[in-house]
Amino acid sequence: MPERRPLALLAAVGVAIALAGCTPTAAAPSGSPTPSSSSVAASPLRPVFPDSFDATTTGKESTRLGDAIDATVPTASIVYVDKHDQLVAATSQAPSYFGVLRAMTLSPSIDPVATAGSIVTKLKAAGWMQLSSKDTGGVHLVTLSSGTLASESWFAVVSGDPSTPGQSVVVVQLASPDLP
């Protein structure tokens, strides 16, 4: 529905602003578990560090990963997905990385916090590590890392926003490892 698109975009922009500066520059906590079973390693929710680590290959892998995360939500629950995948330019404070921002507008009867929780559960089952979880203004935010080595790990933020009655939004934000 066209009237939901502005809400999804607004939610995506709001999360992006709230999370400004959240790039994968800090290492995940040491001592965190790493995936060991072949089923976890083979999961489409696991990023594959490209042999040729550059903007093109990292962009393809980041987009593939975003699509795999989107696919964890039943198609029948989704009204619209607003996709923004792009290379984020380096600044004087941070190197460049590839970013993926997906705002999923769900059917009004679908609980966005429960849907976000389901995504997080699936990511954790695939070997991702939860770094934090908090509620801000009714929006539930969970941050995760795909590994313990920041230079080879993707960083994700998954949020469920039930703040507007009848409009259910889940946002997934990914950041690749910093590019050389």
Side-chain angles (χ1 to χ4, degrees):
M1 292 183 184
E3 66 273 10
R4 295 196 188 276
R5 186 173 182 169
L7 175 63
L9 184 56
L10 180 61
V13 170
V15 169
I17 291 169
L19 300 170
C22 290
T23 62
T25 57
S30 61
S32 297
T34 57
S36 58
S37 75
S38 61
S39 64
V40 167
S43 171
L45 296 175
R46 292 292 309 156
V48 177
F49 194 82
D51 290 333
S52 173
F53 184 60
D54 59 28
T56 300
T57 59
T58 303
K60 287 179 182 177
E61 179 58 14
S62 298
T63 297
R64 183 206 63 80
L65 188 55
D67 291 342
I69 293 170
D70 289 353
T72 66
V73 178
T75 305
S77 301
I78 300 172
V79 173
Y80 182 77
V81 179
D82 195 9
K83 298 181 178 186
H84 299 276
D85 302 358
Q86 69 179 31
L87 178 65
V88 178
T91 66
S92 60
Q93 292 87 20
S96 64
Y97 65 95
F98 197 88
V100 171
L101 182 63
R102 306 286 174 88
M104 290 180 263
T105 302
L106 307 175
S107 298
S109 62
I110 305 296
D111 180 352
V113 174
T115 302
S118 174
I119 293 170
V120 168
T121 298
K122 291 170 185 172
L123 287 171
K124 288 169 58 177
W128 286 70
M129 296 161 288
Q130 183 172 322
L131 303 175
S132 70
S133 175
K134 68 179 183 175
D135 291 308
T136 304
V139 177
H140 183 68
L141 297 167
V142 178
T143 59
L144 304 110
S145 176
S146 67
T148 58
L149 186 58
S151 63
E152 295 182 4
S153 299
W154 272 253
F155 178 77
V157 178
V158 180
S159 66
D161 183 357
S163 62
T164 304
Q167 296 187 356
S168 181
V169 178
V170 170
V171 176
V172 175
Q173 181 178 355
L174 290 171
S176 74
D178 293 338
L179 292 165

